Amino acid sequence: MRGVYVAVAALTTYSPVLCYHRIGGPLELGVTRVGRSVFARQMTALARAGGRTANLSEFAGRTQAARHTFLLTFDDGYASLADYAYPVLADLGFTATTFLITDYVGQTNTWDVGYSWERLQHLSWPEIERWRGRGFEFASHGATHRRLTWLDDAAIATGLGSSRDVLAARLGADAARAVAYPFGAVDARVVRHARSAGYELGFGGVKGGGTGGLLHLSRVPVYFWDFGDVPLGLREDALGALGRVVAHAANRCAVGTSLMQVITRKIAPLRESVVDA
Ligand SMILES: [Zn+2]
Protein backbone atom coordinates (compact mmCIF):
# COMPACT_ATOMS: atom_id res chain seq x y z
CA MET A 1 0.00 0.00 0.00
CA ARG A 2 3.02 2.20 0.64
CA GLY A 3 3.38 5.00 -1.89
CA VAL A 4 0.31 4.06 -3.87
CA TYR A 5 -0.56 7.69 -4.41
CA VAL A 6 2.78 8.67 -5.88
CA ALA A 7 2.25 7.41 -9.40
CA VAL A 8 -0.99 9.20 -10.07
CA ALA A 9 0.22 12.32 -8.34
CA ALA A 10 3.00 12.33 -10.91
CA LEU A 11 0.45 12.33 -13.73
CA THR A 12 -1.06 15.55 -12.48
CA THR A 13 0.24 18.15 -10.09
CA TYR A 14 -3.10 17.89 -8.29
CA SER A 15 -4.20 15.09 -6.00
CA PRO A 16 -5.38 12.01 -7.89
CA VAL A 17 -9.05 11.87 -8.75
CA LEU A 18 -10.91 8.56 -8.65
CA CYS A 19 -14.08 8.25 -10.67
CA TYR A 20 -16.74 5.65 -9.91
CA HIS A 21 -20.16 5.41 -11.55
CA ARG A 22 -22.62 2.95 -10.08
CA ILE A 23 -22.14 1.02 -6.84
CA GLY A 24 -24.19 -2.13 -6.35
CA GLY A 25 -27.74 -2.56 -7.62
CA PRO A 26 -28.75 -4.60 -10.66
CA LEU A 27 -26.07 -6.17 -12.85
CA GLU A 28 -25.55 -4.66 -16.29
CA LEU A 29 -23.96 -5.41 -19.63
CA GLY A 30 -21.81 -2.27 -19.36
CA VAL A 31 -18.58 -1.93 -17.41
CA THR A 32 -19.21 0.87 -14.95
CA ARG A 33 -20.91 -1.00 -12.09
CA VAL A 34 -18.68 -1.79 -9.11
CA GLY A 35 -20.00 -4.27 -6.51
CA ARG A 36 -20.87 -2.84 -3.10
CA SER A 37 -18.53 -5.19 -1.20
CA VAL A 38 -15.68 -4.35 -3.59
CA PHE A 39 -16.30 -0.65 -3.08
CA ALA A 40 -16.47 -1.00 0.72
CA ARG A 41 -13.25 -3.03 0.72
CA GLN A 42 -11.42 -0.48 -1.44
CA MET A 43 -12.51 2.46 0.69
CA THR A 44 -11.65 0.64 3.92
CA ALA A 45 -8.20 -0.23 2.57
CA LEU A 46 -7.59 3.38 1.57
CA ALA A 47 -8.71 4.64 4.98
CA ARG A 48 -6.47 2.12 6.77
CA ALA A 49 -3.54 3.24 4.62
CA GLY A 50 -4.05 6.79 5.87
CA GLY A 51 -5.95 7.99 2.80
CA ARG A 52 -7.99 11.16 3.07
CA THR A 53 -10.59 12.58 0.72
CA ALA A 54 -10.30 16.21 -0.30
CA ASN A 55 -13.28 18.43 -0.92
CA LEU A 56 -13.42 20.53 -4.08
CA SER A 57 -12.08 23.67 -2.39
CA GLU A 58 -9.09 21.83 -0.92
CA PHE A 59 -8.47 20.17 -4.24
CA ALA A 60 -8.62 23.43 -6.22
CA GLY A 61 -6.50 25.30 -3.70
CA ARG A 62 -3.52 22.98 -3.96
CA THR A 63 -1.19 22.94 -6.89
CA GLN A 64 0.84 20.18 -5.27
CA ALA A 65 -0.81 16.89 -4.44
CA ALA A 66 -1.16 16.59 -0.68
CA ARG A 67 0.20 13.29 0.56
CA HIS A 68 -2.38 10.51 0.77
CA THR A 69 -5.15 12.86 -0.31
CA PHE A 70 -7.40 12.06 -3.22
CA LEU A 71 -10.62 13.41 -4.66
CA LEU A 72 -13.35 10.80 -4.79
CA THR A 73 -15.99 11.36 -7.46
CA PHE A 74 -19.12 9.64 -8.75
CA ASP A 75 -20.60 10.29 -12.16
CA ASP A 76 -24.30 10.18 -13.10
CA GLY A 77 -25.74 10.43 -9.56
CA TYR A 78 -27.56 7.10 -9.23
CA ALA A 79 -29.94 6.72 -6.29
CA SER A 80 -28.10 3.58 -5.15
CA LEU A 81 -25.18 5.79 -4.06
CA ALA A 82 -27.25 6.85 -1.06
CA ASP A 83 -27.89 3.18 -0.21
CA TYR A 84 -24.50 1.58 -0.80
CA ALA A 85 -21.75 4.19 -1.15
CA TYR A 86 -22.37 7.31 0.95
CA PRO A 87 -23.02 5.44 4.24
CA VAL A 88 -19.74 3.52 3.82
CA LEU A 89 -17.89 6.77 3.19
CA ALA A 90 -19.54 8.59 6.08
CA ASP A 91 -18.52 5.76 8.45
CA LEU A 92 -14.90 6.12 7.32
CA GLY A 93 -14.89 9.91 7.56
CA PHE A 94 -14.66 10.24 3.77
CA THR A 95 -16.67 12.55 1.55
CA ALA A 96 -17.19 12.61 -2.21
CA THR A 97 -18.29 14.80 -5.07
CA THR A 98 -21.15 13.51 -7.21
CA PHE A 99 -21.69 14.86 -10.70
CA LEU A 100 -25.40 15.07 -11.47
CA ILE A 101 -27.17 14.97 -14.82
CA THR A 102 -29.38 17.86 -13.85
CA ASP A 103 -32.35 17.16 -16.16
CA TYR A 104 -32.56 13.62 -14.71
CA VAL A 105 -32.42 14.27 -10.97
CA GLY A 106 -35.21 12.16 -9.42
CA GLN A 107 -35.84 10.44 -12.79
CA THR A 108 -34.78 7.13 -14.32
CA ASN A 109 -31.79 6.85 -16.64
CA THR A 110 -33.61 7.00 -19.95
CA TRP A 111 -30.68 9.06 -21.25
CA ASP A 112 -28.54 5.91 -21.31
CA VAL A 113 -28.39 2.88 -23.55
CA GLY A 114 -30.28 0.12 -21.70
CA TYR A 115 -27.34 -1.83 -20.27
CA SER A 116 -29.39 -3.21 -17.40
CA TRP A 117 -32.72 -5.09 -17.46
CA GLU A 118 -34.53 -2.30 -15.71
CA ARG A 119 -34.12 1.46 -15.85
CA LEU A 120 -32.13 2.86 -12.93
CA GLN A 121 -33.26 5.60 -10.59
CA HIS A 122 -31.26 8.78 -10.06
CA LEU A 123 -30.90 10.59 -6.73
CA SER A 124 -33.72 13.02 -5.90
CA TRP A 125 -33.22 16.62 -4.74
CA PRO A 126 -34.27 15.84 -1.12
CA GLU A 127 -31.70 13.00 -0.96
CA ILE A 128 -29.06 15.24 -2.47
CA GLU A 129 -29.82 17.97 0.06
CA ARG A 130 -29.70 15.48 2.92
CA TRP A 131 -26.22 14.23 1.96
CA ARG A 132 -25.05 17.72 1.21
CA GLY A 133 -25.87 18.52 4.84
CA ARG A 134 -23.40 15.80 5.80
CA GLY A 135 -20.53 17.33 3.83
CA PHE A 136 -21.00 15.57 0.50
CA GLU A 137 -20.63 17.76 -2.58
CA PHE A 138 -22.57 17.87 -5.83
CA ALA A 139 -21.68 19.34 -9.19
CA SER A 140 -22.59 19.17 -12.87
CA HIS A 141 -22.41 16.24 -15.30
CA GLY A 142 -24.21 18.28 -17.94
CA ALA A 143 -27.96 18.65 -18.36
CA THR A 144 -28.63 15.56 -20.49
CA HIS A 145 -25.39 13.51 -20.65
CA ARG A 146 -24.76 14.21 -24.30
CA ARG A 147 -21.18 14.04 -25.59
CA LEU A 148 -20.31 17.74 -25.71
CA THR A 149 -17.52 17.43 -28.28
CA TRP A 150 -20.10 16.29 -30.84
CA LEU A 151 -22.46 19.24 -30.34
CA ASP A 152 -22.51 22.66 -31.96
CA ASP A 153 -21.54 25.76 -29.98
CA ALA A 154 -25.09 26.75 -29.08
CA ALA A 155 -25.95 23.29 -27.73
CA ILE A 156 -22.75 23.09 -25.65
CA ALA A 157 -23.39 26.53 -24.17
CA THR A 158 -27.03 25.71 -23.39
CA GLY A 159 -26.23 22.32 -21.84
CA LEU A 160 -23.42 23.59 -19.62
CA GLY A 161 -25.19 26.83 -18.74
CA SER A 162 -28.60 25.38 -17.86
CA SER A 163 -27.07 22.64 -15.73
CA ARG A 164 -25.03 25.19 -13.79
CA ASP A 165 -28.07 27.46 -13.32
CA VAL A 166 -30.15 24.59 -11.89
CA LEU A 167 -27.41 23.62 -9.43
CA ALA A 168 -26.87 27.21 -8.31
CA ALA A 169 -30.62 27.73 -7.81
CA ARG A 170 -31.20 24.44 -5.95
CA LEU A 171 -28.00 24.08 -3.96
CA GLY A 172 -26.17 27.41 -4.05
CA ALA A 173 -23.03 28.77 -5.68
CA ASP A 174 -20.72 26.04 -4.31
CA ALA A 175 -22.51 23.42 -6.40
CA ALA A 176 -21.98 25.46 -9.57
CA ARG A 177 -18.18 25.39 -9.56
CA ALA A 178 -17.34 22.08 -11.19
CA VAL A 179 -18.33 19.97 -14.15
CA ALA A 180 -17.42 16.42 -15.17
CA TYR A 181 -17.78 16.24 -18.94
CA PRO A 182 -20.01 13.31 -19.99
CA PHE A 183 -17.84 10.40 -21.24
CA GLY A 184 -14.80 12.48 -20.24
CA ALA A 185 -15.09 14.03 -23.71
CA VAL A 186 -13.54 17.49 -23.77
CA ASP A 187 -11.58 19.60 -26.22
CA ALA A 188 -10.49 23.25 -26.40
CA ARG A 189 -13.94 24.34 -27.58
CA VAL A 190 -15.73 22.63 -24.68
CA VAL A 191 -13.21 24.13 -22.24
CA ARG A 192 -13.94 27.57 -23.68
CA HIS A 193 -17.68 27.11 -23.16
CA ALA A 194 -17.17 25.73 -19.63
CA ARG A 195 -15.15 28.81 -18.76
CA SER A 196 -17.69 31.26 -20.14
CA ALA A 197 -20.53 29.39 -18.39
CA GLY A 198 -18.68 30.13 -15.14
CA TYR A 199 -17.20 26.76 -14.15
CA GLU A 200 -13.84 26.79 -12.34
CA LEU A 201 -13.04 23.07 -12.45
CA GLY A 202 -13.60 20.65 -15.33
CA PHE A 203 -12.90 16.91 -15.18
CA GLY A 204 -12.20 14.79 -18.25
CA GLY A 205 -10.91 11.26 -18.81
CA VAL A 206 -7.65 9.53 -17.92
CA LYS A 207 -5.58 11.95 -19.97
CA GLY A 208 -6.15 15.51 -18.86
CA GLY A 209 -3.96 18.43 -19.61
CA GLY A 210 -3.61 20.34 -22.82
CA THR A 211 -4.03 24.03 -22.31
CA GLY A 212 -7.29 23.59 -20.43
CA GLY A 213 -5.67 23.88 -16.98
CA LEU A 214 -8.23 23.51 -14.19
CA LEU A 215 -10.96 23.02 -16.77
CA HIS A 216 -9.30 19.92 -18.19
CA LEU A 217 -8.27 17.76 -15.25
CA SER A 218 -7.69 14.03 -15.48
CA ARG A 219 -9.46 11.32 -13.54
CA VAL A 220 -9.00 7.59 -13.23
CA PRO A 221 -12.24 5.65 -13.74
CA VAL A 222 -12.80 2.50 -11.68
CA TYR A 223 -14.51 -0.25 -13.68
CA PHE A 224 -15.95 -3.59 -12.64
CA TRP A 225 -12.71 -5.53 -13.24
CA ASP A 226 -10.93 -3.27 -10.75
CA PHE A 227 -11.69 -5.38 -7.67
CA GLY A 228 -8.41 -5.31 -5.73
CA ASP A 229 -8.04 -3.56 -2.39
CA VAL A 230 -6.41 -0.53 -3.99
CA PRO A 231 -8.03 0.77 -7.19
CA LEU A 232 -5.59 0.36 -10.08
CA GLY A 233 -5.53 4.11 -10.58
CA LEU A 234 -3.83 4.59 -7.22
CA ARG A 235 -1.18 1.89 -7.63
CA GLU A 236 2.35 2.76 -8.62
CA ASP A 237 3.34 -0.69 -9.89
CA ALA A 238 3.06 -2.24 -13.35
CA LEU A 239 -0.50 -3.38 -12.62
CA GLY A 240 -1.44 0.21 -11.84
CA ALA A 241 0.09 1.43 -15.10
CA LEU A 242 -1.75 -1.29 -17.01
CA GLY A 243 -4.97 -0.42 -15.20
CA ARG A 244 -4.72 3.20 -16.32
CA VAL A 245 -4.11 2.15 -19.94
CA VAL A 246 -7.14 -0.16 -19.84
CA ALA A 247 -9.27 2.53 -18.18
CA HIS A 248 -8.27 4.96 -20.91
CA ALA A 249 -9.22 2.42 -23.59
CA ALA A 250 -12.56 1.69 -21.89
CA ASN A 251 -13.30 5.37 -21.70
CA ARG A 252 -12.66 5.64 -25.42
CA CYS A 253 -14.98 2.68 -25.94
CA ALA A 254 -17.71 4.81 -24.43
CA VAL A 255 -17.85 6.35 -27.93
CA GLY A 256 -19.99 3.28 -28.69
CA THR A 257 -22.45 4.39 -26.03
CA SER A 258 -22.60 7.92 -27.43
CA LEU A 259 -23.25 6.54 -30.90
CA MET A 260 -26.03 4.34 -29.56
CA GLN A 261 -27.57 7.37 -27.89
CA VAL A 262 -27.58 9.32 -31.14
CA ILE A 263 -29.06 6.35 -32.98
CA THR A 264 -31.74 5.61 -30.37
CA ARG A 265 -32.70 9.31 -30.28
CA LYS A 266 -33.23 9.10 -34.02
CA ILE A 267 -35.10 5.81 -33.76
CA ALA A 268 -37.34 6.77 -30.82
CA PRO A 269 -39.68 9.07 -32.80
CA LEU A 270 -39.99 6.36 -35.47
CA ARG A 271 -40.87 3.80 -32.82
CA GLU A 272 -43.47 6.14 -31.35
CA SER A 273 -45.03 6.80 -34.74
CA VAL A 274 -45.27 3.04 -35.32
CA VAL A 275 -47.00 2.63 -31.95
CA ASP A 276 -49.35 5.51 -32.78
CA ALA A 277 -50.21 4.01 -36.11
ZN1 LIG B 1 -21.65 9.81 -17.04
Side-chain angles (χ1 to χ4, degrees):
M1 197 84 61
R2 203 164 4 102
V4 289
Y5 301 91
V6 179
V8 181
L11 294 177
T12 160
T13 50
Y14 292 89
S15 295
V17 186
L18 274 188
C19 167
Y20 288 86
H21 290 76
R22 200 155 67 80
I23 308 297
L27 294 171
E28 63 174 35
L29 296 175
V31 297
T32 58
R33 178 189 176 277
V34 170
R36 51 197 284 202
S37 60
V38 171
F39 177 76
R41 185 156 45 78
Q42 289 179 339
M43 292 302 112
T44 305
L46 287 168
R48 286 204 185 123
R52 216 180 68 73
T53 50
N55 63 31
L56 281 176
S57 293
E58 290 171 326
F59 177 83
R62 290 209 182 94
T63 51
Q64 282 299 317
R67 200 171 141 68
H68 284 198
T69 297
F70 61 100
L71 188 69
L72 181 59
T73 69
F74 295 98
D75 278 10
D76 306 334
Y78 285 113
S80 58
L81 291 175
D83 299 323
Y84 307 134
Y86 297 165
V88 171
L89 299 174
D91 283 349
L92 294 169
F94 283 178
T95 60
T97 301
T98 303
F99 295 100
L100 303 169
I101 309 162
T102 47
D103 280 8
Y104 287 86
V105 171
Q107 314 283 323
T108 56
N109 69 333
T110 49
W111 57 270
D112 198 7
V113 176
Y115 283 126
S116 52
W117 302 121
E118 54 195 285
R119 284 293 172 186
L120 305 166
Q121 188 69 33
H122 287 288
L123 289 165
S124 66
W125 288 116
E127 283 170 318
I128 290 164
E129 275 154 18
R130 191 160 72 82
W131 285 98
R132 200 154 175 271
R134 298 184 64 177
F136 284 69
E137 293 185 287
F138 295 87
S140 171
H141 196 36
T144 56
H145 208 287
R146 294 178 73 185
R147 182 176 283 264
L148 298 175
T149 49
W150 290 4
L151 302 181
D152 63 28
D153 287 311
I156 300 173
T158 305
L160 287 174
S162 70
S163 175
R164 186 170 182 274
D165 290 346
V166 167
L167 287 163
R170 295 287 316 207
L171 304 175
D174 275 359
R177 298 178 62 189
V179 57
Y181 307 108
F183 308 102
V186 49
D187 56 18
R189 201 165 59 102
V190 172
V191 164
R192 208 168 53 244
H193 282 290
R195 185 171 291 121
S196 51
Y199 292 102
E200 299 162 46
L201 299 168
F203 295 92
V206 179
K207 294 192 175 164
T211 53
L214 283 173
L215 284 167
H216 191 173
L217 295 158
S218 63
R219 291 191 299 171
V220 187
V222 183
Y223 294 119
F224 79 91
W225 55 75
D226 199 345
F227 50 73
D229 277 0
V230 177
L232 297 171
L234 294 184
R235 292 174 65 124
E236 65 173 352
D237 55 9
L239 199 56
L242 178 66
R244 286 188 289 278
V245 169
V246 172
H248 180 61
N251 208 291
R252 291 195 77 85
C253 289
V255 166
T257 303
S258 303
L259 268 173
M260 283 302 288
Q261 284 176 326
V262 170
I263 293 164
T264 47
R265 247 197 311 277
K266 290 210 166 21
I267 289 174
L270 295 177
R271 209 191 279 147
E272 274 152 30
S273 67
V274 169
V275 171
D276 284 348

